[in-house]
Amino acid sequence: MRTDGSVACWGSWNDDPPEGQFASVSSGSVHTCGVKIDGSVACWGGDSFGEATPPDGTFASVSAGSYRTCGVKTAGAVVCWGNWNDDPPEGQLASVSVQTWSSHTCGVKTDGTVACWGSDSYGEATPPEGQFASVSIGRIHTCGLRSDGAVACWGHGNDGRSTPPEGQFASISTGDDHTCGLRTDGAVACWGEEKYGRATPPEGQFVSVSAGRIHTCGVRTDGAVACWGISGGSTPWSGEES
């Protein structure tokens, strides 16, 4: 998302995003959705299972995964559309996370606890107790940012993907098999499956980071984008992002 609210995309399945200003954007495997500044959701790309056909209404956030999408309405209810559309839990959520190739979904409730639903083969949908600020799901593991800045992960963890480093984090983003987090000092730390170099971030100061399936991208403090991992998705648009 550019600093003026427009969206730029690069890589495979690069359908042109719609015009207009966006408040946030989320990319799945073959489709992308964003919340416009008026609260409506716009989606583009693959729509084989209806994952790019959002319902009416105003939303606070949206998260696109593999052939399905979930969004948090402004009143706090969660709505999902597309494939693997397990019914979300009742109650109000502050945020929701859906990821490419995963078959579970997690969200942070308004009381700070995490609720997950869908596949739980490795415990990826069984969150620990405690208060969380955000949650991000991978293919068979999940990580959450606790309210004190520490990170907790659960699910499959043989390659270290469920063993986060110590320290304080401002945000986290979980890819299929690895997770990256933005530390409070601006540095990026990654853990989990290291194949393709997706979990080896460059040095420097960042303001945000987003982990994909086989690559990761981050926005530096000067507005430039840096990407690492498989180069097919790691050639960023050469402008300022937000």
Side-chain angles (χ1 to χ4, degrees):
M1 190 172 71
R2 291 174 174 165
T3 52
D4 64 0
S6 62
V7 173
C9 299
W10 55 93
S12 298
W13 298 302
N14 189 9
D15 296 296
D16 291 332
E19 296 181 355
Q21 288 186 319
F22 286 80
S24 65
V25 66
S26 176
S27 295
S29 59
V30 295
H31 77 294
T32 304
C33 293
V35 180
K36 291 195 169 187
I37 57 172
D38 64 1
S40 63
V41 170
C43 299
W44 58 98
D47 197 28
S48 300
F49 298 94
E51 65 270 26
T53 304
D56 294 332
T58 56
F59 289 78
S61 66
V62 66
S63 183
S66 179
Y67 308 113
R68 80 188 192 282
T69 310
C70 291
V72 179
K73 291 207 166 189
T74 51
V78 175
V79 179
C80 299
W81 55 96
N83 200 18
W84 295 320
N85 192 8
D86 300 297
D87 292 332
E90 296 181 357
Q92 292 184 329
L93 268 69
S95 65
V96 65
S97 177
V98 182
Q99 184 55 278
T100 303
W101 305 123
S102 67
S103 53
H104 73 293
T105 305
C106 293
V108 178
K109 290 188 172 183
T110 52
D111 64 1
T113 61
V114 170
C116 300
W117 59 98
S119 176
D120 196 30
S121 301
Y122 296 91
E124 66 268 31
T126 303
E129 297 180 353
Q131 302 291 306
F132 288 82
S134 65
V135 64
S136 185
I137 74 170
R139 185 168 56 88
I140 49 178
H141 80 293
T142 309
C143 291
L145 180 66
R146 293 189 180 274
S147 54
D148 63 359
V151 175
C153 298
W154 55 96
H156 184 73
N158 291 345
D159 52 11
R161 71 185 73 178
S162 292
T163 308
E166 297 181 354
Q168 300 291 306
F169 287 81
S171 65
I172 58 171
S173 177
T174 303
D176 274 18
D177 303 312
H178 75 293
T179 300
C180 291
L182 179 69
R183 292 187 181 273
T184 51
D185 63 1
V188 171
C190 300
W191 58 97
E193 175 58 62
E194 170 58 319
K195 192 176 181 180
Y196 308 118
R198 57 191 165 186
T200 304
E203 296 181 354
Q205 302 294 110
F206 290 79
V207 295
S208 67
V209 65
S210 182
R213 187 169 64 89
I214 52 178
H215 77 293
T216 308
C217 291
V219 180
R220 292 187 181 275
T221 52
D222 63 359
V225 174
C227 297
W228 53 97
I230 287 291
S231 61
S234 300
T235 304
W237 174 80
S238 58
E240 291 188 350
E241 311 290 332
S242 60

